[in-house]
Amino acid sequence: MKIKKLLLIGAITTSSLFAHGLWINAFEATSHGSKLVTVGLGTGHNPTIEDSISDRVELNSFDLIMPKGEAIALEKPKRGLEEIYNKDNLNIIPSNLAMQKISFNKESKEGTYTAALATKTNTFIKYLDKNDKERFTTKAKEEIRNLKEILSTTKSTIYAKSYFVNKIWSEPKAIGHELELIPTSDISQLHIGETITFKVLYKGKPLESGYVTAKSALAKEDNALFANVRKGQAKFVLTNFGQWMFTIQNKKEVEGIIISNTASATINIK
């Protein structure tokens, strides 16, 4: 009974959790003998490249975190890009994904690297207008016309990471995001059927409860897997190779305002 119940919950929550999310993609190559990683942003409904970043997405930070914790600023998505073509029922625009190449050589520091971003906090207000219609807005309360009643206020922040290893695995350190997923398994040695484990932190401390979802880029039509968080720990058995995206959402109500944090980690499995 418990398994059936959990699978049902996973199927119900999949569409809401992965609806137009934001994450980091990392594509690894060793074709020329040295390691090359191309990182960029992902947005849409499924892992890997699906859509382009909207001008409405504003980042506080986008960095490459070295194995010992030093941060190197990465280029953020451009804003205000113009259309290339828009006629004959066809629209072409630049793909605004902040793609950039990270090259490693023999002298590059060994260990686990992290591409990490944090968005600016957005405020979403749900309200009734004077005709009793339910509406949503990102405007400040004072700017809402025809306002009858505020139903809820949510402050939302997205954190995303992608982890990759140069030669030798080292366990990544927390970087100070409000909500963090940190792998504790050697991700360079994981294969299908093996278990990946995570440390789950909220404000630097183990998250006591919640659940993490997992979605594979190679199985987009499948329901997401999910695992309960127990005392800051979560784990999954990997069902196929390729890029996986692991996501957690944590909500708290503070003085009548819902604080919503979402964190993701993308990892490539052999």
Side-chain angles (χ1 to χ4, degrees):
M1 284 295 291
K2 288 184 179 179
I3 293 176
K4 289 182 180 179
K5 184 177 180 181
L6 292 176
L7 288 173
L8 176 60
I9 294 171
I12 291 171
T13 57
T14 299
S15 59
S16 59
L17 281 172
F18 289 97
H20 223 79
L22 176 68
W23 59 87
I24 298 176
N25 290 309
F27 306 100
E28 302 181 34
T30 55
S31 303
H32 299 285
S34 59
K35 189 178 186 70
L36 172 67
V37 180
T38 301
V39 299
L41 305 191
T43 186
H45 299 269
N46 293 294
T48 199
I49 294 175
E50 186 175 272
D51 203 347
S52 187
I53 303 299
S54 165
D55 274 2
R56 290 175 293 179
V57 176
E58 294 186 77
L59 301 186
N60 255 342
S61 61
F62 184 26
D63 300 303
L64 177 67
I65 311 298
M66 305 282 277
K68 291 188 177 180
E70 310 99 309
I72 300 171
L74 296 175
E75 184 178 272
K76 296 177 182 178
K78 294 178 173 61
R79 302 180 65 80
L81 294 178
E82 296 183 3
E83 294 178 328
I84 297 169
Y85 185 91
N86 190 358
K87 57 185 178 180
D88 302 324
N89 297 310
L90 180 67
N91 179 228
I92 303 174
I93 60 173
S95 189
N96 194 18
L97 299 176
M99 301 289 280
Q100 45 215 293
K101 181 176 71 173
I102 302 166
S103 299
F104 297 89
N105 59 39
K106 292 180 180 179
E107 286 72 38
S108 297
K109 293 180 181 178
E110 298 176 339
T112 302
Y113 288 72
T114 310
L117 68 78
T119 67
K120 293 184 178 180
T121 300
N122 286 314
T123 300
F124 301 92
I125 295 177
K126 179 181 177 181
Y127 69 99
L128 287 179
D129 66 17
K130 292 180 180 178
N131 295 318
D132 289 325
K133 288 186 178 181
E134 195 173 285
R135 298 185 181 275
F136 296 86
T137 185
T138 56
K139 294 180 180 179
K141 177 181 176 181
E142 297 75 20
E143 298 176 356
I144 302 174
R145 297 181 180 179
N146 205 26
L147 172 65
K148 178 179 180 181
E149 180 185 356
I150 298 289
L151 299 177
S152 66
T153 301
T154 301
K155 292 185 177 292
S156 176
T157 311
I158 296 174
Y159 304 97
K161 295 180 181 179
S162 184
Y163 294 98
F164 41 93
V165 177
N166 182 39
K167 297 179 183 176
I168 299 174
W169 156 261
S170 59
E171 185 172 318
K173 299 177 181 178
I175 64 172
H177 285 174
E178 189 118 330
L179 185 63
E180 298 193 56
L181 283 171
I182 303 172
T184 53
S185 309
D186 182 349
I187 60 174
S188 68
Q189 299 297 323
L190 283 175
H191 303 281
I192 297 171
E194 296 182 341
T195 300
I196 185 169
T197 57
F198 287 93
K199 187 186 298 180
V200 188
L201 301 180
Y202 177 66
K203 293 187 175 180
K205 297 180 180 180
L207 184 69
E208 286 299 312
S209 61
Y211 60 90
V212 180
T213 60
K215 186 73 175 173
S216 166
L218 295 181
K220 296 177 182 179
E221 303 306 317
D222 291 353
N223 289 329
L225 305 176
F226 75 102
N228 290 320
V229 177
R230 291 189 173 89
K231 297 182 178 179
Q233 302 289 328
K235 61 183 180 181
F236 292 89
V237 175
L238 299 165
T239 55
N240 54 269
F241 64 89
Q243 180 168 276
W244 282 82
M245 181 166 65
F246 303 89
T247 306
I248 184 167
Q249 186 177 49
N250 187 50
K251 291 184 178 181
K252 303 281 184 183
E253 188 167 333
V254 180
E255 297 179 351
I257 297 175
I258 299 168
I259 308 298
S260 175
N261 292 301
T262 302
S264 68
T266 52
I267 295 172
N268 285 291
I269 305 301
K270 294 180 180 179

